[in-house]
């Protein structure tokens, strides 16, 4: 079986990391998998980049300009929306013609247009689409902000100035997506059971196959190691209880850094000794901007892309905290757990599927800084550390190992091929 995985980027972003890990997992399980990307960052021979760099750049800029226009020249949500009005035709490429299954992942920001996806569907090849967020099931957004219009039809989009209208940009893109899917079949795979439920409630995907499979984690890279050696390598103190916050851009409001700051301030007030014995490690862009807000010693490590370096940072800490306000099935929690590090996060999206409350971490009430503080305190000072560690490793082995995820995807591919042949 030959599978072509299609994603905008090879390495940048959680979807790219997950897609690349899946390619490797499939290859190690007898599937001839390749990856087609617009932005290639390595010399990996299994990864092919799009020809025509000028056109790819134009597609990206033109889509942003049209969105910018509809936002009345505001940059606030410029990269929160995608309209897929322009993109690349991949059906002419030899990698596409050679594939038995086309597997779409995150294909936004000018990678594929709705017309381009329609051409893929009309090619007759089985198509699987992994949903790393809600965009394939709605019109233009990646986070719905509690809007439920997609259950009947997108319109009056809260991202648009004035709350949009019944004929706004979201309504027009919704109709284009309807035409894209009309008479065609895709197997949609959500990365969490929560997102699977959201997708099944979408009027856009009515009649389509929707299931869920978690992303794989590379347990050869993300695995337990000596904490003392990891701290020495990262120049982190040996005598502190360290918690970690990771985000591509730390100042992203949806990642909840302000809730972590509030929780730490409460802990510093209630347990003054923590000011001396606790520290916060911050990994991501703009880390320096938030370090000064914390009452504990802080260590801003900036942005790190190398996976082995990231794994070493996980192994250097005692706890991973992800107070995100919206998540699918975050890779970061899997990565921490694979290193034997427990996590604390809000009860939102797929996070409760990863964290088993008070077994391998703590699930705090949504947007509740008080409960987030309780979770941090419980995990660091009250829970049985060895029990948490063993439960983390057990959960990863059973659910997120590359081989277990690859086997489930092979079953999806085989079903998609059989379904396509049956229709023919």
């Amino acid at each position: 079986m030959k599978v072509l995985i299609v994603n905008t980027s090879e390495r940048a972003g959680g979807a790219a990391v997950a897609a690349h890990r899946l390619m490797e997992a499939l290859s190690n399980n007898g599937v001839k998998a390749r990856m087609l990307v617009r932005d290639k960052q390595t010399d990996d021979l299994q990864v092919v980049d799009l020809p025509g760099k000028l056109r790819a750049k134009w597609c990206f800029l033109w889509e942003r300009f049209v969105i910018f226009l509809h936002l009345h020249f505001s940059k606030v949500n410029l990269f929160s929306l995608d309209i897929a009005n322009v993109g690349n035709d991949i059906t002419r490429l030899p990698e596409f013609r050679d594939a038995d299954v086309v597997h779409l992942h995150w294909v936004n920001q000018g990678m594929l247009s709705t017309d381009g996806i329609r051409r893929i569907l009309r090619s007759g090849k089985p198509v699987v689409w992994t949903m790393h967020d809600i965009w394939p099931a709605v019109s233009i957004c990646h986070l719905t902000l509690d809007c439920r219009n997609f259950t009947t039809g997108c319109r009056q989009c809260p991202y648009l100035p004035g709350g949009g209208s019944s004929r706004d940009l979201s309504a027009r893109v919704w109709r284009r997506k309807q035409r894209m899917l009309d008479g065609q079949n895709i197997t949609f795979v959500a990365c969490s059971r929560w997102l699977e439920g959201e997708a099944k409630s979408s009027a856009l995907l009515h009649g389509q196959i929707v299931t869920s499979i978690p992303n794989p984690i590379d347990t050869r890279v993300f695995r337990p190691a000596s904490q003392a050696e990891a701290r020495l390598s990262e120049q982190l103190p040996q005598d502190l209880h360290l918690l970690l916050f990771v985000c591509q851009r730390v100042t992203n409001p949806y990642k909840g850094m302000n809730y972590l700051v509030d929780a730490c301030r409460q802990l510093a007030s209630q347990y003054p000794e923590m000011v001396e014995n606790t520290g916060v490690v911050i990994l991501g862009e703009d880390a320096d901007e938030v370090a000064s807000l914390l009452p504990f010693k802080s260590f801003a490590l900036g942005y790190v892309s190398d996976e082995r370096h990231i794994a070493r940072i996980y192994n250097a800490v005692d706890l991973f905290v992800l107070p995100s306000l919206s998540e699918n099935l975050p890779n970061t929690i899997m990565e921490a757990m694979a290193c034997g590090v427990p996590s604390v996060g809000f009860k939102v999206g797929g996070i409760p599927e990863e964290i088993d409350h008070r077994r391998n971490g703590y699930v705090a009430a949504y947007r509740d800084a008080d409960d987030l503080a309780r979770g941090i305190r419980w995990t660091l000072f009250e829970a049985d550390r060895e029990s948490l560690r063993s439960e983390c490793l057990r959960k990863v082995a059973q659910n997120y190992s590359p081989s277990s995820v690859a086997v489930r995807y092979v079953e999806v591919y085989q079903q998609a091929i059989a379904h396509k042949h049956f229709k023919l």
Side-chain angles (χ1 to χ4, degrees), residues 87-249:
N88 302 276
D89 181 6
I90 68 170
T91 60
R92 301 177 183 179
L93 301 178
E95 293 81 12
F96 180 89
R97 293 196 296 267
D98 194 43
D100 298 312
V101 177
V102 178
H103 189 166
L104 306 181
H105 282 254
W106 201 88
V107 292
N108 299 115
Q109 296 192 359
M111 176 65 181
L112 295 180
S113 66
T114 52
D115 287 340
I117 296 172
R118 178 72 171 173
R119 280 192 287 271
I120 293 170
L121 295 172
R122 286 178 171 175
S123 72
K125 292 183 181 292
V127 177
V128 174
W129 194 343
T130 290
M131 298 177 59
H132 294 278
D133 56 44
I134 196 66
W135 187 85
V138 300
S139 177
I140 63 177
C141 71
H142 297 272
L143 300 174
T144 58
L145 301 180
D146 297 324
C147 171
R148 306 302 296 174
N149 284 343
F150 69 92
T151 61
T152 54
C154 285
R155 64 199 180 282
Q156 296 176 318
C157 181
Y159 282 98
L160 299 175
S165 69
S166 60
R167 298 181 180 180
D168 62 15
L169 178 65
S170 68
R172 294 198 294 275
V173 175
W174 178 272
R175 289 192 292 271
R176 279 202 284 114
K177 283 189 170 182
Q178 284 181 315
R179 291 193 293 271
M180 174 186 80
L181 293 172
D182 184 35
Q184 305 294 331
N185 293 104
I186 300 178
T187 300
F188 289 91
V189 180
C191 296
S192 68
R193 294 190 299 274
W194 165 79
L195 187 58
E196 177 188 357
E198 292 290 276
K200 285 180 175 178
S201 68
S202 167
L204 185 65
L205 303 192
H206 179 71
Q208 301 287 347
I209 298 171
V210 182
T211 187
S212 61
I213 301 175
N215 292 326
I217 183 77
D218 190 344
T219 49
R220 297 168 302 177
V221 174
F222 294 96
R223 56 190 179 88
S226 167
Q227 185 180 86
E229 291 180 9
R231 291 190 178 190
L232 185 64
S233 177
E234 296 301 318
Q235 298 182 325
L236 295 170
Q238 300 284 352
D239 59 343
L240 293 182
H241 298 280
L242 294 179
L243 59 93
L244 172 67
F245 177 88
V246 175
C247 179
Q248 187 170 359
R249 182 170 58 85

Side-chain angles (χ1 to χ4, degrees), residues 179 356 403:
R179 291 193 293 271
D356 300 315
S403 58

